[in-house]
Amino acid sequence: MNSINVIAPYRLHGMWVFDDPARGLVQEPFVGGADTMIDKIVAGLRDAHNGFVMVFSSNAFPGSQFELDWRRPDRSGNVYFSTALDAEGWLCPALLKYFDAPPPKLFVAVRERDGAA
């Protein structure tokens, strides 16, 4: 398992999704409030709907912008809360493709893709 992970979410059919072929994920959607959290996170990024870079880890790292705290299991996923965003979102079982168990905290940074319009 990587200590720091990178994905590139984008909009498809009005939803935030991402691909990670190395982990068997294609058009994996963000739902259950995670989509709303992403809307807030990328509000200042140009052309985010066509894709942006999201870096995340269970450990704080230089440049991390958001901290999410684990709240509870919910169905087959887990709910995280961000004080900075005043929002919570559900992360599906795909989270376990990156971590052995749901981490108590997630640290996130976002930036525009290289060559964003």
Side-chain angles (χ1 to χ4, degrees):
M1 300 275 172
N2 289 355
S3 178
I4 296 179
N5 299 282
V6 180
I7 58 174
Y10 57 95
R11 298 286 280 186
L12 179 70
H13 306 301
M15 298 182 70
W16 288 110
V17 301
F18 72 98
D19 303 328
D20 191 339
R23 290 183 169 83
L25 301 170
V26 178
Q27 298 178 356
E28 185 70 30
F30 288 97
V31 298
D35 50 344
T36 303
M37 291 173 83
I38 291 173
D39 286 338
K40 292 179 179 185
I41 287 170
V42 302
L45 296 183
R46 292 177 300 138
D47 204 29
H49 66 282
N50 285 320
F52 66 95
V53 175
M54 178 183 284
V55 180
F56 62 98
S57 177
S58 59
N59 300 305
F61 59 91
S64 62
Q65 300 160 297
F66 300 94
E67 183 176 324
L68 285 68
D69 296 303
W70 183 87
R71 283 286 172 94
R72 64 188 176 278
D74 188 341
R75 298 177 185 87
S76 59
N78 290 273
V79 175
Y80 283 82
F81 178 78
S82 167
T83 302
L85 300 171
D86 190 28
E88 68 177 25
W90 181 79
L91 297 179
C92 73
L95 180 69
L96 300 180
K97 301 263 184 176
Y98 298 92
F99 304 100
D100 292 330
K105 291 187 177 288
L106 287 172
F107 297 88
V108 179
V110 298
R111 68 169 178 78
E112 294 174 0
R113 285 180 312 132
D114 293 339

